[in-house]
Amino acid sequence: LVLSLAWLGPALGGEEKDEEVIEEEEKEKKEDEVLSDEIKEEDNVLVLHEHNFARALSEHQLLLVEFYAPWCGHCQRLAPAFAQAATELRNESSPARLGKVDATAQTALATEFGITSYPTLKLFRDGNRTHPLAYTGRMDSQGIVRWVQRRAGPSATLLQDTDTIAAFINSQDLVVIGFFKDLRGEAAQEFFEMAAEMVDMTFGVAEAAELFQVYGLSADTVCLFKKFDERQTNFPVDLERGLDTTELSRLLRIHSLPLVMEFTNETSNKIFGAKIPHHMLLFLNESSPEQLSLRDSFRAAASGFRGEVLFVVVDVTGHGADVLPFFGMTAADAPTLRLVKMENNRKYQMEQDDFSDLAIRSFIQAVLDGKVKPHLLSAEPPEDWDTRPVKVLVGKTFEQVAFDETKNVFVKFYAPWCPHCQAMAAAWEELAERYKDREDIVIAEMDSTANELENITIHGYPTLHYFPAGPGRKMVEYKSTRDVETFSKFLENGGTLPEEPP
């Protein structure tokens, strides 16, 4: 009986529904869900769209929203950190919440907030949707939490008496305290705004007259307190110009670094992110007491160049071993000194074996004054460098080949580890094979990680330069498609691509 009813049910007009009806009902159900202002969550992140966005703003004092695209790799990598930050803030009962919007689906919101790249993070405060604040912190969970927390509460702690301020200074290796006679004044308000941005430092403020006296101050001053080098550094507020927060934040970052830094896995990001234009490096073997003693004179030379030159000690047997090839060095070269100009990676070498602070200061000043030529790396030319279709250039042979007035020379500057260089290697070989019998055309390559040139700086790999025949040392950068046919058109047209017919 059961089987009979099961088979006969649809024919007798039972409860079975037509597939089209079911699909239509599910579609209507989904549309109802979208039109609702209900706010759902995924891993403590609010899932927002145009119908619940206003409600989310009204319910949360601070709302950090990630506008993302589902296919975006950066968004996919950020997702776990964003969810972790959302969970931490919720567990702390923070007034801030995190939300996300699929900007490819919610085009009205993406247009309203000017979303042109992914992910874009914006902070909405007190329900205001007209002036969201762009996120400026690190793209990791700790960075997100600290950035939001700094905006959820006062960005600087109020310090009202000597015991409180002393405990605050001793609580960390480095703190910043703004001493202002009027905390409602313009300078103090700008200090609070700067403190909200610099989330990797801890800020306090003081107004009491006795605290000015205790720390030897007579006017509004921002003080940096640290447990290393000089203990207190003062930055007085200019009476006429007020507080220059851009310059102050730069000085705080410079003075927050130790006078001499050890190059380690933990400090490398700070060293490269310091935005100090020159780095002076002392390479030594820290297992040698004799070499270790050289740090004293190195430190003595450092104080006169703060902000202009960052002094770094590199242990050639430790973390520093990884950077030796960049300088064309081995551990056996220690102890030795190098100065690097960060804008172009030009390296300068002290020729003498004098490690006194006077010699170091004199060398640095000579480099800054343009009186020292850079120390250029060059590999030795292979014996068969000019017998193969692609000529192999090194620093020592580059000038005579590239600027030969009888030749048109097309050079690929590459890095052995670069995947883009590897991808075009076959095309470069084929191009060289095509022109191997042309006396006036040379196809060449140079490993720019092992060879440097005085007047040509390579910023990315591969870089292609064309050196036309004739006087004048001319150079043309090739920026078009990297295939054999386009290369050939470029060469046959004398170093420019012919205009294509419309």
Side-chain angles (χ1 to χ4, degrees):
L1 178 62
V2 172
L3 287 172
S4 299
L5 287 173
W7 280 103
L8 290 170
L12 296 173
E15 296 298 319
E16 290 292 329
K17 292 183 180 179
D18 185 270
E19 287 185 9
E20 291 184 7
V21 174
I22 294 172
E23 287 180 4
E24 188 64 30
E25 288 180 354
E26 288 180 352
K27 183 178 178 182
E28 290 175 0
K29 183 180 178 183
K30 286 182 179 178
E31 288 178 353
D32 289 341
E33 288 177 355
V34 171
L35 291 172
S36 168
D37 70 349
E38 180 186 357
I39 300 175
K40 294 186 176 181
E41 296 186 18
E42 292 178 2
D43 298 325
N44 292 311
V45 177
L46 308 180
V47 181
L48 304 177
H49 48 73
E50 58 183 293
H51 299 291
N52 66 10
F53 199 84
R55 176 180 173 181
L57 291 181
S58 67
E59 292 182 353
H60 301 290
Q61 178 186 349
L62 287 173
L63 183 63
L64 180 65
V65 179
E66 176 202 359
F67 295 87
Y68 72 96
W71 45 258
C72 166
H74 298 294
C75 304
Q76 293 163 7
R77 286 189 289 274
L78 175 63
F82 200 70
Q84 184 179 341
T87 302
E88 287 185 34
L89 289 168
R90 189 163 194 182
N91 290 343
E92 294 172 2
S93 301
S94 169
R97 291 296 306 271
L98 304 190
K100 62 181 181 180
V101 171
D102 179 352
T104 64
Q106 302 300 319
T107 53
L109 291 177
T111 301
E112 178 182 355
F113 301 116
I115 308 304
T116 57
S117 61
Y118 312 109
T120 294
L121 278 63
K122 290 181 180 287
L123 180 72
F124 297 83
R125 187 190 294 273
D126 299 324
N128 186 331
R129 67 191 291 162
T130 58
H131 294 91
L133 182 66
Y135 178 79
T136 56
R138 299 199 317 262
M139 289 294 192
D140 58 53
S141 59
Q142 185 182 19
I144 293 169
V145 169
R146 293 192 67 175
W147 192 89
V148 171
Q149 284 175 332
R150 191 62 64 89
R151 284 155 180 80
S155 58
T157 303
L158 178 61
L159 308 166
Q160 296 179 302
D161 55 57
T162 54
D163 291 340
T164 305
I165 197 169
F168 184 80
I169 291 171
N170 289 325
S171 66
Q172 298 192 42
D173 289 343
L174 184 148
V175 297
V176 182
I177 301 177
F179 292 82
F180 299 99
K181 294 185 177 179
D182 179 9
L183 289 181
R184 291 163 297 281
E186 185 177 346
Q189 293 306 309
E190 289 176 341
F191 179 79
F192 282 119
E193 290 179 14
M194 184 187 72
E197 286 295 325
M198 300 181 69
V199 297
D200 52 344
M201 293 186 185
T202 301
F203 289 80
V205 287
E207 188 179 31
E210 66 167 325
L211 299 182
F212 275 75
Q213 186 176 358
V214 168
Y215 292 96
L217 307 172
S218 59
D220 287 1
T221 306
V222 176
C223 297
L224 178 66
F225 296 92
K226 51 190 177 182
K227 294 181 180 179
F228 52 88
D229 297 338
E230 68 281 7
R231 300 294 174 168
Q232 178 179 338
T233 306
N234 298 341
F235 303 100
V237 176
D238 189 282
L239 293 176
E240 294 181 2
R241 293 185 291 113
L243 190 68
D244 185 343
T245 54
T246 301
E247 177 62 10
L248 177 59
S249 60
R250 186 186 74 84
L251 291 172
L252 289 175
R253 295 210 179 279
I254 289 171
H255 285 266
S256 68
L257 298 173
L259 198 56
V260 176
M261 298 190 71
E262 296 275 344
F263 182 69
T264 66
N265 191 42
E266 291 73 29
T267 64
S268 58
N269 284 339
K270 284 188 176 181
I271 290 170
F272 292 119
K275 295 183 180 177
I276 295 177
H278 306 88
H279 290 182
M280 185 65 183
L281 311 177
L282 170 61
F283 293 88
L284 50 77
N285 185 334
E286 292 196 352
S287 63
S288 164
E290 184 181 355
Q291 292 189 26
L292 208 55
S293 66
L294 299 176
R295 293 188 304 182
D296 295 336
S297 56
F298 191 63
R299 170 177 287 277
S303 59
F305 296 97
R306 187 156 223 163
E308 181 70 12
V309 182
L310 181 64
F311 282 63
V312 182
V313 174
V314 182
D315 180 10
V316 297
T317 61
H319 187 64
D322 294 336
V323 301
L324 292 176
F326 176 70
F327 293 90
M329 292 167 44
T330 66
D333 292 315
T336 188
L337 293 154
R338 296 287 189 280
L339 187 143
V340 184
K341 284 190 175 181
M342 299 305 291
E343 64 176 1
N344 55 17
N345 281 333
R346 289 284 180 264
K347 308 171 190 71
Y348 300 82
Q349 178 179 351
M350 279 185 70
E351 299 299 335
Q352 71 274 23
D353 292 329
D354 186 349
F355 291 88
S356 68
D357 61 317
L358 177 60
I360 294 171
R361 285 198 300 269
S362 300
F363 168 71
I364 293 173
Q365 195 58 56
V367 172
L368 298 182
D369 293 340
K371 297 177 180 178
V372 181
K373 284 197 169 188
H375 177 75
L376 302 173
L377 295 179
S378 178
E380 291 301 320
E383 290 185 6
D384 61 344
W385 72 272
D386 62 345
T387 61
R388 292 178 289 169
V390 177
K391 311 307 176 189
V392 180
L393 304 184
V394 296
K396 295 176 180 179
T397 60
F398 182 83
E399 283 277 323
Q400 68 188 63
V401 177
F403 295 108
D404 183 339
E405 294 185 4
T406 67
K407 302 281 196 293
N408 298 289
V409 184
F410 202 11
V411 183
K412 175 184 72 173
F413 298 89
Y414 73 97
W417 43 259
C418 165
H420 301 293
C421 303
Q422 295 161 8
M424 70 165 284
W428 202 247
E429 291 286 346
E430 185 180 339
L431 181 72
E433 188 68 32
R434 181 176 294 190
Y435 287 96
K436 68 179 180 180
D437 297 325
R438 285 279 296 268
E439 290 290 329
D440 61 325
I441 292 179
V442 175
I443 308 299
E445 65 181 11
M446 190 175 86
D447 177 358
S448 289
T449 65
N451 299 278
E452 296 172 325
L453 304 171
E454 186 169 358
N455 297 313
I456 301 175
T457 302
I458 305 302
H459 295 288
Y461 306 111
T463 292
L464 306 177
H465 284 314
Y466 176 75
F467 302 85
R473 298 173 62 85
K474 296 176 183 175
M475 181 178 75
V476 178
E477 184 173 1
Y478 178 89
K479 294 183 177 180
S480 190
T481 310
R482 295 168 183 167
D483 61 63
V484 177
E485 296 308 319
T486 312
F487 289 151
S488 293
K489 288 180 184 178
F490 177 80
L491 290 171
E492 297 293 346
N493 203 46
T496 60
L497 284 170
E499 288 197 19
E500 298 291 337

